[in-house]
Amino acid sequence: MPSSIASSATSAPTEPATARSLLRAWAVMGVISFGGGQSIQLYAYRHFVQRRRHFRPAQWSEMWGICQLVPGMNLIALCVLVGARLAGAGGAVASLAGLLTPSIAITIAVTYLYARLAAIPAVGGAMRGVVAASVGMAMVNAIRIAGPPLAATRRLGRLAGAAGLVVPAVAGLLVFVTSLPIYALLVGGGIFVAAITWMASSQGAEG
Amino acid sequence: MIAAFFWLCLKASLLSSGGLGNLPSLHQDLTGLHWANSGDFAHAVAIGQFAPGPTGLWTIALGYLVAGLAGALAAALAVSLPPQLVLVFDRAYHYGGAHPAVAGFVRGITLVVAVVVPVVLLKVLANTGFDLRSGLLAAGALVGAGSRRVPPAVLLAAAAVAGFVLYR
């Protein structure tokens, strides 16, 4: 779907995107971006909004908002969406291949080396340091993702805002003191907030 | 085993949000089956942090540690499929927006993930020889990453040096 949305995104894109240019752009971003999704997001924004002007900032925000609704890795969703809007199905496939192929190859190579180096006593200490720091950094990433849904539930009113706080608190407590299946917590939390959101939206529409 | 591993990764990815959202489910499933231990998870998360590309690729490192190259490729396929639902969501959005309940469901999952992931990570750290030194390193990285002022690569390099010195 080389969509009209994309073509009307800006009055002057520097040049039309093709599957090949998307493949190249995402491959470069996948290889040079250290620090996970945030740095890729930044590179992608600079490339597609500021340099190539394929999208306006508001469109980019809207696309990122849609990606928040999709299960799994939001960044892969963004990559597929950008590719589809700019160059149809071929663009989506090229973007996905560009982002993932080099990153996956490097990740496998790093894992291979890591598994072997970790067994060497001299580097074992350094590895323990990296693992501990990674856990700390991963916690920050996990906590950060709570911001947008908390803000969204607050906007829906007092009841939804309270539900947004109660659900993670109860889930945290349950996972700490029980051995309930994680899926039960995920689905239970999802259904509860879905019901509250639906109710709050209906009331808002009626009001 | 590869097919079952693929299914577990796909299921975890379908009911998750963000790069680490599938960690709690996979930890519960794979340690329950004794296919992976907390050490494998700790190493995979570390690789996901310092390898280039999305953080979510930690699942591929886990796949490699659990079942070699086939495991890595199975994990890669499993984590790439669910986000492609974005094309369906995008179409729905332009035909009147996503249903509020769908948005609410994903928000609920994200909120649970945001709390459960740190709890599971603490368990992982506790099961991999947690001591005062690793606690201090994790806390330092948490503060450094939380401040957004220190690049992740710098944090990891500093942690490697500190680990080398502290665990000599």
Side-chain angles (χ1 to χ4, degrees), chain A residues 71-167:
Chain A
M73 294 163 63
N74 310 125
L75 204 65
I76 293 184
L78 181 69
C79 164
V80 169
L81 187 55
V82 166
R85 283 199 181 184
L86 290 177
V93 172
S95 297
L96 190 65
L99 177 65
L100 290 185
T101 309
S103 304
I104 288 172
I106 293 171
T107 302
I108 291 173
V110 169
T111 312
Y112 173 85
L113 288 174
Y114 191 94
R116 270 139 197 84
L117 289 176
I120 301 170
V123 293
M127 295 294 188
R128 287 185 74 173
V130 169
V131 166
S134 300
V135 168
M137 291 163 66
M139 280 190 189
V140 173
N141 286 338
I143 292 165
R144 266 184 197 150
I145 67 165
L150 277 177
T153 51
R154 265 202 308 272
R155 279 196 298 271
L156 289 168
R158 223 177 278 170
L159 180 66
L165 292 174
V166 166
V167 164

Side-chain angles (χ1 to χ4, degrees), chain B residues 24-40:
Chain B
S25 319
L26 279 176
H27 186 260
Q28 193 170 55
D29 286 342
L30 296 181
T31 54
L33 289 165
H34 303 291
W35 287 0
N37 56 37
S38 284
D40 294 326

Side-chain angles (χ1 to χ4, degrees), chain B residues 2 4 13 15 29 32 44 59 62 64 75 83 89 99 113-114 118 127 138 144 146 156 159:
Chain B
I2 293 298
S13 191
L15 273 177
D29 286 342
T59 316
L62 181 71
Y64 187 89
F89 279 70
H99 193 283
V113 160
N127 291 336
L156 291 169

Side-chain angles (χ1 to χ4, degrees), chain A residues 1 5 30-31 33-37 40 62 66-77 80-81 84-85 96 99-100 103-104 106-108 110-112 114-115 122 125-126 128-146 149-150 152-153 156 164 167-168 171-172 175-176 179-183 185-187 189-191 193-194 197-198 201, chain B residues 8 11-18 20 24-25 28-29 42-43 45-47 49-57 60-61 64-65 69 72 76 79-80 82-87 89-91 93-94 98-101 103-119 121-123 125 129 131 134 137-138 141-142 145-146 148 152 156 159-160 163-164 167:
Chain A
M1 177 183 71
I5 298 156
V31 170
S33 57
F34 288 86
I40 299 181
E62 176 205 274
I66 294 169
C67 293
Q68 301 303 306
L69 300 176
V70 180
M73 294 163 63
N74 310 125
L75 204 65
I76 293 184
V80 169
L81 187 55
R85 283 199 181 184
L96 190 65
L99 177 65
L100 290 185
S103 304
I104 288 172
I106 293 171
T107 302
I108 291 173
V110 169
T111 312
Y112 173 85
Y114 191 94
R128 287 185 74 173
V130 169
V131 166
S134 300
V135 168
M137 291 163 66
M139 280 190 189
V140 173
N141 286 338
I143 292 165
R144 266 184 197 150
I145 67 165
L150 277 177
T153 51
L156 289 168
V167 164
V175 85
F176 215 77
S179 53
L180 268 175
I182 301 286
Y183 289 110
L185 296 175
L186 292 167
V187 174
I191 289 174
V193 178
T197 304
W198 193 358
S201 303
Chain B
L8 292 176
K11 194 172 63 160
S13 191
L14 273 169
L15 273 177
S16 74
S17 180
L20 287 163
S25 319
Q28 193 170 55
D29 286 342
H43 290 149
V45 170
I47 292 163
Q49 295 289 334
F50 70 68
T55 313
L57 298 189
I60 291 160
Y64 187 89
L65 294 173
L69 188 60
V79 296
S80 347
Q84 292 180 42
L85 285 170
V86 72
L87 298 177
F89 279 70
D90 187 41
R91 187 147 294 200
Y93 184 82
H94 287 290
H99 193 283
F105 186 74
V106 178
R107 277 181 207 136
I109 285 182
T110 308
L111 288 168
V112 174
V113 160
V115 169
V116 174
V117 168
V119 173
L121 283 170
L122 276 178
K123 285 184 182 172
L125 195 60
D131 58 15
S134 52
L137 284 170
L142 196 144
R148 297 176 189 251
L156 291 169
F164 178 76
Y167 288 104

